[in-house]
């Protein structure tokens, strides 16, 4: 498992925009998930959205239950 470089991420996330940072406030920075931060920094590729074929496959694999209560059968 790779370690997260929090110091480096904080420098970029909290750094001034004119210096190449994102200019986030500490509250904004800590509300981000690591994936959101990676996307904002342009690291890695964003996953493609689910298309109709994948949605139908998921619906077939995990059908909604009809047990009542409106909680999807949970």
């Amino acid at each position: 498992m790779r370690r997260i470089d929090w110091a480096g991420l904080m420098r970029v996330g909290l750094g001034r925009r004119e210096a190449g940072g994102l200019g986030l406030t500490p509250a904004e920075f800590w509300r981000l998930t690591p994936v959101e931060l990676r996307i904002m920094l342009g690291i890695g590729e964003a996953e493609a959205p689910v298309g109709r074929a994948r949605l139908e496959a998921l619906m077939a694999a995990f059908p909604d239950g009809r047990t009542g209560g409106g909680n999807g059968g949970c």
Side-chain angles (χ1 to χ4, degrees):
M1 179 175 206
R2 295 184 312 180
R3 298 189 71 148
I4 295 175
D5 178 13
W6 286 111
L9 290 174
M10 289 173 63
R11 270 192 298 281
V12 174
L14 302 173
R16 294 187 321 272
R17 289 178 191 259
E18 54 273 4
L22 295 175
L24 301 171
T25 66
E28 291 169 331
F29 177 83
W30 290 112
R31 274 195 303 264
L32 292 172
T33 66
V35 171
E36 291 170 329
L37 186 55
R38 288 176 59 87
I39 290 169
M40 290 178 78
L41 295 173
I43 300 171
E45 296 182 21
E47 210 172 293
V50 174
R52 170 145 321 266
R54 179 68 176 134
L55 176 60
E56 289 175 356
L58 287 169
M59 290 169 58
F62 303 99
D64 288 340
R66 297 286 181 197
T67 61
N71 63 1
C74 294

